[in-house]
Amino acid sequence: MLIDLFLAFNDCSELLTYVSKLGLDVAGIRSDVLELCLDQLPQLQRSVAIVPRCIHESTQRSLLPPRRELRRCLPLCIPSDLQTARSLAKVSQSVVIALNVETLKFVDETQVNFMATSKVRKFIEVLLEPFIELARIDSKRMSLERALHFVGETIERCLKLDVGIFVSSYSPSIKRVLHPIHIDVLLQSLGFTKRERRLVLQVYPLEALRSWLGEEGWIRLR
């Protein structure tokens, strides 16, 4: 099963073309883009489970999206700082927390330890494309090798403590789309076994989806 719970598309033609070409079984699409494309979805040449997604910039004043938004989409919470990340680990409902270049310094092994003590299932979603971009822009702040080392340690900690973690290709500024097979190869190069890669690429993302559907009960796109 091929899953990417957050693809980066801003128009319907790109969405329909790439979802078909990638051969995905489950695809996450921004809810605002998805609403514009509802009438065109029957044009897809294969059966795909489409998941509406949204991004919430989490702060101490606004940890989670409004209830109405939670009903409409599976949110990705991007913590603004260390304190907010820790607070998200303690909320009394299932949440998906972003691990990207900006949150790498506090969505780490210690964050995983906090999440492991929660009574409610929590998930980390690794946004992989911004890390790959470090190699393209020759970033002086952090090398790709160093960033992937920290990502690998966080994934390893999650697997050890059975904290849900999965990888998506989403990036707000990049048009390219990583195929799940490419992500699988990258995880293999970081030393993860076939079983561990299956957890990251299939089991945990489906569990995050089931947790959201179980809490909200239904999806409303309009």
Side-chain angles (χ1 to χ4, degrees), residues 6 54-59 62-63 75-81 84-85 88 96-100 102-103 106-107 125 127 170 172:
F6 215 160
C54 58
I55 291 176
H56 180 71
E57 302 288 345
S58 295
T59 64
S62 178
L63 272 182
L76 173 64
C77 295
I78 303 181
S80 58
D81 51 42
T84 301
L88 284 170
V96 179
I97 303 171
L99 172 56
N100 58 20
E102 301 303 322
T103 66
F106 46 81
V107 180
E125 182 170 1
L127 306 185
Y170 181 81

Side-chain angles (χ1 to χ4, degrees), residues 173-213:
S173 59
I174 300 172
K175 291 288 185 180
R176 292 176 290 272
V177 177
L178 285 171
H179 194 280
I181 292 176
H182 299 150
I183 298 174
D184 183 53
V185 170
L186 178 57
L187 291 174
Q188 185 177 18
S189 72
L190 293 175
F192 293 104
T193 66
K194 183 176 181 179
R195 175 186 175 277
E196 290 170 335
R197 300 197 308 273
R198 182 175 179 273
L199 285 171
V200 173
L201 295 174
Q202 297 181 8
V203 176
Y204 286 142
L206 288 178
E207 187 181 344
L209 180 56
R210 284 195 297 268
S211 294
W212 171 60
L213 292 173

Side-chain angles (χ1 to χ4, degrees), residues 57-105:
E57 302 288 345
S58 295
T59 64
Q60 284 299 297
R61 291 189 174 185
S62 178
L63 272 182
L64 299 173
R67 185 71 176 177
R68 179 178 179 275
E69 194 168 346
L70 284 170
R71 289 178 173 177
R72 296 176 65 248
C73 63
L74 173 60
L76 173 64
C77 295
I78 303 181
S80 58
D81 51 42
L82 174 63
Q83 184 180 2
T84 301
R86 301 297 190 256
S87 296
L88 284 170
K90 299 175 183 177
V91 295
S92 59
Q93 67 183 78
S94 182
V95 295
V96 179
I97 303 171
L99 172 56
N100 58 20
V101 175
E102 301 303 322
T103 66
L104 181 64
K105 56 190 175 183

